[in-house]
Amino acid sequence: MEVNRDEAERCIDIATEALTNDQPEKAQRFLDKAQRLFPTEKAKALQDLIARNGFKPRHGGHSHFNGTPGPRQRQTTCQETRHEEKPSENLKPYTADQLEAVQRIKQCKDFYEILGVQKDAPEDELKRSYRKLALKFHPDKNHAPGATEAFKAIGNAYAVLSNANKRRQYDQCGEERRHPSRQGQDDGNFEADISPEDLFNMFFGGGYPASNGHAYTNGRMRYQRAERRERQRDGGLALFVQVMPILILVIVSALSQIMVNSPAYSLSFRPSAGYTQKRLTENLKVPYYVGEQFSREFTGVNLKNLERTVEDDYISNLRNNCWKEKQQKEGMLYRARYFGDTDLYQRAQRARTPSCAKLSEITASAHG
């Protein structure tokens, strides 16, 4: 019953206001409700006061408290009852455990007590505690009175304690700390740099699963759709600014490749784009392909220097291919010996190394 005290006191306040406004029927309803939630002497005294004085005639009615109301008064009373109780119908249900948990947060004396951790708690423990409490007290899940303030207090506690500088300052203040469950000017220098909603979204990726899009500020809810659209636009601009250097780098690379002159020859075994004319070097008879304008651009000494470059590149390619062929053959021989595979050994012995043979031929020709 203790957990319903706040709700009972709220009903008593409504009943008192109703009596002030000459609405005894409404006052009687809320006093009855207050007594069901949490019986108090104050509510009982108000009920006795109404019982002694009785209801005054209203809107031309002729019945009293102890009398039987007429049809017109019954209709008026029913309409007023539906009108006055409509806000209560919109209140979402909550459990006694949820209300008790909210009251526990309100009674906490410091941020460590709110998160339920020791003063030397590491970062991982703070995160685990915040995750658990944030889901438990999120106003979309916990509809108990004060859940919004408790959720904000939990977010503020984690935001301060997870910041090394703020935590050190907070610890140095000692007993002079303000009550952490009250937001606003009473928090001194220990305001979080991030709102509880943004902190929650950082942890859980965009809000509580059953979120209705509300934001909680000073204990009240307001829609943030326009603000979210603004954030999305800002986020798109920020993303573009971040990607811009990469785009510039790609564009510069593409332009540099376009501006670089293409090589004058190709050592491929067949014609390719831009290299359709086949030629042989004068010394080693190395085949290579050139463009249609080659004969006009390279003559005399320039042609000899180019063919010397072609032969050097050709020999370098032969050396690389020869080394690969030898490595492949030696690998086959090693596997054949290791596994005792006679067939693999014979195939390895018969494996050809054409690049090595060609390289030996060129070397012999040069020495000859």
Side-chain angles (χ1 to χ4, degrees):
M1 298 291 292
E2 184 68 25
V3 297
N4 296 326
R5 180 190 289 243
D6 292 342
E7 187 68 17
E9 291 179 355
R10 189 179 72 85
C11 292
I12 294 175
D13 293 339
I14 296 175
T16 303
E17 184 179 358
L19 286 175
T20 304
N21 297 330
D22 193 21
Q23 296 176 320
E25 300 97 330
K26 176 181 177 181
Q28 184 68 41
R29 286 199 311 274
F30 279 94
L31 288 173
D32 293 342
K33 181 178 179 181
Q35 288 294 78
R36 289 195 301 271
L37 292 172
F38 188 84
T40 59
E41 292 296 330
K42 182 178 180 180
K44 187 175 185 304
L46 291 174
Q47 286 179 323
D48 293 340
L49 178 63
I50 294 175
R52 287 196 302 270
N53 295 334
F55 286 107
K56 295 181 181 180
R58 300 178 57 188
H59 305 296
H62 301 283
S63 59
H64 297 275
F65 178 76
N66 294 325
T68 302
R72 182 176 179 180
Q73 184 173 352
R74 283 199 300 270
Q75 181 179 2
T76 304
T77 302
C78 292
Q79 292 176 352
E80 291 175 353
T81 300
R82 287 193 297 269
H83 176 72
E84 297 297 340
E85 292 184 354
K86 186 175 182 180
S88 298
E89 294 174 356
N90 294 332
L91 294 176
K92 296 182 180 180
Y94 57 89
T95 65
D97 291 339
Q98 289 178 329
L99 183 59
E100 185 176 2
V102 170
Q103 292 175 346
R104 184 193 69 79
I105 294 295
K106 288 184 176 182
Q107 295 172 358
C108 291
K109 297 179 181 179
D110 57 42
F111 289 153
Y112 294 102
E113 188 176 357
I114 287 180
L115 296 180
V117 298
Q118 300 295 325
K119 291 186 178 181
D120 58 350
E123 177 71 16
D124 292 342
E125 186 175 351
L126 292 176
K127 287 183 178 180
R128 288 195 299 269
S129 178
Y130 172 76
R131 287 178 182 272
K132 179 180 178 181
L133 293 175
L135 287 174
K136 181 178 180 180
F137 287 91
H138 194 283
D140 283 344
K141 182 177 182 180
N142 190 330
H143 306 295
T148 299
E149 289 77 8
F151 174 75
K152 292 171 63 178
I154 293 168
N156 192 45
Y158 175 76
V160 171
L161 297 183
S162 61
N163 184 304
N165 293 331
K166 284 184 175 291
R167 183 174 182 177
R168 183 168 56 253
Q169 296 173 5
Y170 180 78
D171 292 339
Q172 289 174 353
C173 287
E175 297 299 328
E176 297 180 0
R177 289 192 291 264
R178 305 289 184 179
H179 195 290
S181 63
R182 298 195 182 113
Q183 299 288 325
Q185 297 178 352
D186 292 339
D187 279 339
N189 295 326
F190 299 111
E191 278 291 338
D193 294 331
I194 185 173
S195 69
E197 298 79 28
D198 291 339
L199 179 62
F200 185 89
N201 291 337
M202 287 174 57
F203 265 80
F204 301 100
Y208 192 75
S211 176
N212 55 8
H214 292 154
Y216 303 87
T217 305
N218 296 329
R220 297 180 180 179
M221 296 183 294
R222 58 186 177 88
Y223 284 98
Q224 293 290 306
R225 293 175 181 172
E227 183 177 348
R228 287 183 180 177
R229 288 194 293 267
E230 186 68 25
R231 288 180 180 177
Q232 290 175 356
R233 289 194 294 268
D234 294 342
L237 179 60
L239 179 61
F240 177 75
V241 172
Q242 293 176 357
V243 175
M244 186 182 299
I246 300 176
L247 294 176
I248 294 175
L249 181 61
V250 172
I251 294 173
V252 171
S253 300
L255 291 176
S256 62
Q257 291 180 0
I258 294 174
M259 296 174 64
V260 171
N261 294 329
S262 301
Y265 64 92
S266 171
L267 286 175
S268 61
F269 297 104
R270 59 182 61 88
S272 58
Y275 304 96
T276 57
Q277 307 296 322
K278 184 177 181 180
R279 292 177 61 92
L280 297 175
T281 61
E282 184 178 357
N283 184 21
L284 299 179
K285 307 302 180 184
V286 175
Y288 65 101
Y289 286 88
V290 297
E292 296 179 354
Q293 305 297 325
F294 180 83
S295 299
R296 299 177 184 176
E297 297 176 359
F298 293 91
T299 57
V301 178
N302 289 337
L303 179 59
K304 290 182 179 181
N305 291 335
L306 178 69
E307 289 190 347
R308 189 178 299 112
T309 303
V310 171
E311 292 175 349
D312 290 343
D313 289 345
Y314 180 71
I315 293 174
S316 178
N317 291 340
L318 287 178
R319 288 196 180 99
N320 292 333
N321 293 335
C322 177
W323 182 84
K324 293 178 182 178
E325 292 167 358
K326 286 182 178 179
Q327 289 294 320
Q328 183 177 7
K329 185 173 183 178
E330 290 176 1
M332 293 175 63
L333 291 171
Y334 175 79
R335 291 195 301 272
R337 295 190 189 99
Y338 184 82
F339 293 105
D341 191 337
T342 305
D343 182 60
L344 180 60
Y345 183 80
Q346 292 176 355
R347 284 191 287 115
Q349 289 288 352
R350 293 194 300 268
R352 300 178 58 187
T353 55
S355 297
C356 295
K358 187 66 176 177
L359 183 61
S360 298
E361 180 183 342
I362 292 175
T363 303
S365 174
H367 289 293

